[in-house]
Amino acid sequence: MEYQPLTLAIADDHNLFRKGVLELLKAFDEITLVADASNGAELLEKIESNLPDVVMLDLEMPEMDGVATSRYLLSKYPDVRILVMSTYGDEALVESLLEEGVKGYLLKNSEPDELRQALQALRAGKGYFSSGIKIDSF
């Protein structure tokens, strides 16, 4: 059986952060980037014909934020795995996203190795939440 890389799309309105993550992902041989966007609406347009395995979403973006984007994606493509990235570690927010079907939540101050761990967990069909976040239902 031939090894298939994990396909990934990212949406974050902070260009410096997004471009930094994209550079970091180049070092991860097991990842293939299919799209990057500055908001959810742009992302949806870019992935319509090439749905990735995992979508990384910033929570707060103009035009279409991470919550609205994840709701849309999960209603239309229930098998897509979503990893939310944020500076906010509010457990109530994380639990509500989990209930909606988001598979992971990564704090933006995480180390690069934690991003790789999160993506590997999502690839394996598991959830991933930054170690600083305590989730009752996880």
Side-chain angles (χ1 to χ4, degrees), residues 19-138:
K19 298 298 183 187
V21 170
L22 293 173
E23 282 301 309
L24 177 64
L25 290 170
K26 288 179 182 177
F28 298 174
D29 293 337
E30 69 274 20
I31 306 293
T32 298
L33 182 73
V34 297
D36 76 283
S38 61
N39 63 64
E42 181 185 350
L43 177 84
L44 293 175
E45 192 175 296
K46 287 184 172 187
I47 66 171
E48 190 173 2
S49 62
N50 191 11
L51 186 68
D53 300 314
V54 173
V55 175
M56 294 174 58
L57 294 174
D58 183 18
L59 262 186
E60 293 187 11
M61 297 181 287
E63 292 189 49
M64 190 174 195
D65 68 13
V67 174
T69 305
S70 64
R71 283 180 181 152
Y72 178 85
L73 283 169
L74 291 167
S75 71
K76 190 166 182 178
Y77 313 106
D79 293 333
V80 73
R81 289 159 275 174
I82 297 174
L83 176 65
V84 169
M85 306 171 295
S86 181
T87 57
Y88 305 108
D90 178 63
E91 281 129 20
L93 171 65
V94 176
E95 285 192 15
S96 72
L97 291 167
L98 178 63
E99 288 170 8
E100 292 200 28
V102 167
K103 299 295 183 204
Y105 195 97
L106 190 68
L107 293 173
K108 286 187 173 181
N109 66 355
S110 298
E111 293 295 326
D113 282 346
E114 191 171 2
L115 172 59
R116 181 176 242 154
Q117 291 170 5
L119 293 172
Q120 289 171 342
L122 269 64
R123 176 186 196 119
K126 301 175 184 170
Y128 188 91
F129 296 87
S130 286
S131 56
I133 299 172
K134 304 296 180 230
I135 304 293
D136 293 333
S137 55
F138 183 70

